[in-house]
Amino acid sequence: MDLKDQLKNLFPDHVPEEPQVEAPQSDLWLQDSPMICKYEKRKGKPITIIEGYTGADSDFKKLAKELKTRLSVGGSFKNDQIIIQGDYRDKIMEILKEKGFNVKRVGG
């Protein structure tokens, strides 16, 4: 006899409730059009560029900081683009999809 059976015996009138799973609330503005995640080489070194965010610059800077800390890499925010050192397109796309963004992969 497992725990569920014992609880049913003790509380026969109880109806178990389904836990409500809420979508993760983001403090960033989510847009309808997809953000573009592309790969380039500058001076022989690979970089990943995220662009196409139409929200506030402060939100985009927060997103850049979070990506850099989660990936433990360097990067910057310039000219409405997030530049991440290295080829991290797949990981970045996963992180952005978790947050609720639409992401489009561009390039090789």
Side-chain angles (χ1 to χ4, degrees):
M1 189 178 251
D2 66 342
L3 183 62
K4 286 185 180 181
D5 293 334
Q6 290 176 1
L7 288 173
K8 283 182 186 178
N9 289 339
L10 290 172
F11 306 103
D13 297 333
H14 178 69
V15 178
E17 295 180 7
E18 296 281 331
Q20 294 180 355
V21 178
E22 295 181 13
Q25 294 293 328
S26 177
D27 58 340
L28 302 173
W29 182 76
L30 300 177
Q31 62 189 26
D32 295 331
S33 60
M35 291 173 54
I36 295 172
C37 184
K38 62 183 177 180
Y39 169 78
E40 283 185 13
K41 277 194 171 185
R42 293 188 182 171
K43 298 181 182 178
K45 305 206 177 183
I47 61 168
T48 305
I49 299 174
I50 299 111
E51 58 186 14
Y53 185 70
T54 57
D57 282 346
S58 60
D59 288 347
F60 208 33
K61 286 179 185 179
K62 285 181 192 175
L63 182 63
K65 182 170 179 133
E66 183 176 343
L67 287 173
K68 291 188 296 182
T69 54
R70 282 187 66 178
L71 296 172
S72 300
V73 295
S76 64
F77 173 79
K78 293 181 185 173
N79 303 328
D80 296 330
Q81 296 179 336
I82 298 174
I83 301 171
I84 303 290
Q85 296 173 358
D87 185 9
Y88 292 99
R89 285 177 291 179
D90 297 329
K91 292 179 182 177
I92 289 172
M93 289 175 67
E94 279 181 33
I95 293 169
L96 292 175
K97 286 180 183 177
E98 284 175 11
K99 291 191 152 299
F101 288 101
N102 292 331
V103 185
K104 187 174 182 180
R105 184 178 177 145
V106 176

